[in-house]
Amino acid sequence: MGLRPYYIDDLPKLKEFRLHKEQHSLTLMPVDSLALCNNDPSRHAIVLEEDGEIVTFFVLHEKEGVAPYSTASDAILLRAFATNAIHQGKGFGKNALQSLPAYINEYFPNINIIYLTVYLFNERARMLYQKIGFTDTGAREIRSGGELMVMKWSIS
């Protein structure tokens, strides 16, 4: 089916969403991200559905979400990107990212730049983001889990 906005009917499926144990420190679980989305209209939950299953989940965060990385009005932050553990390694994360420009063009036509942060030690994720078109901005953040790289992708 492809990328689409999260619907409340997706909640039971997202409660079954799992990550590998070592990934729990890298991102929020979808149900935790949804709690933040429910209280913030600038956060938009997105799912990649395949054969009736939600295989990938992430949030696009406008305004104050992207503010630490850009003051541009045409920028948005990609956060909480995760593929269900049982579907990892099958290309669903890559498919979701490759579909992102078309999705943004449809739902956020004024957006031309996507930002994200990724832990430096998370080489697998960094390589995927670079393969898709994200580039290292050179900016770094320190969090309790380690050093984060700030990346951006110009999709215009």
Side-chain angles (χ1 to χ4, degrees):
M1 178 178 212
L3 289 182
R4 64 168 176 78
Y6 160 82
Y7 304 127
I8 191 68
D9 294 344
D10 296 326
L11 187 56
K13 293 177 185 176
L14 287 176
K15 286 182 177 179
E16 300 298 318
F17 198 100
R18 299 287 178 258
L19 293 175
H20 296 292
K21 185 178 180 180
E22 64 274 10
Q23 295 172 314
H24 285 253
S25 64
L26 302 177
T27 190
L28 288 178
M29 291 297 291
V31 292
D32 297 324
S33 290
L34 289 173
L36 296 170
C37 291
N38 290 337
N39 295 318
D40 185 349
S42 69
R43 291 178 188 243
H44 310 277
I46 316 298
V47 299
L48 175 66
E49 186 176 19
E50 183 71 28
D51 296 328
E53 288 189 63
I54 295 175
V55 295
T56 300
F57 173 92
F58 59 91
V59 172
L60 292 176
H61 196 173
E62 299 176 277
K63 302 174 183 160
E64 70 276 353
V66 74
Y69 313 109
S70 176
T71 58
S73 62
D74 66 341
I76 200 163
L77 179 67
L78 170 67
R79 62 186 332 148
F81 187 84
T83 296
N84 195 327
I86 63 171
H87 296 293
Q88 289 181 13
K90 299 177 183 176
F92 291 117
K94 182 178 179 181
N95 179 270
L97 291 169
Q98 288 173 327
S99 301
L100 196 50
Y103 182 89
I104 287 177
N105 187 51
E106 180 177 349
Y107 290 93
F108 303 93
N110 296 326
I111 298 297
N112 295 305
I113 304 168
I114 307 166
Y115 282 85
L116 63 77
T117 60
V118 61
Y119 284 102
L120 284 175
F121 66 81
N122 190 354
E123 187 174 348
R124 186 174 178 194
R126 283 190 300 113
M127 297 297 285
L128 172 62
Y129 297 140
Q130 288 171 340
K131 199 177 288 186
I132 295 300
F134 282 92
T135 58
D136 181 358
T137 66
R140 300 290 185 265
E141 278 187 26
I142 302 297
R143 298 255 176 96
S144 60
E147 189 173 3
L148 291 166
M149 172 189 290
V150 179
M151 300 182 84
K152 78 174 187 176
W153 184 16
S154 297
I155 59 170
S156 57

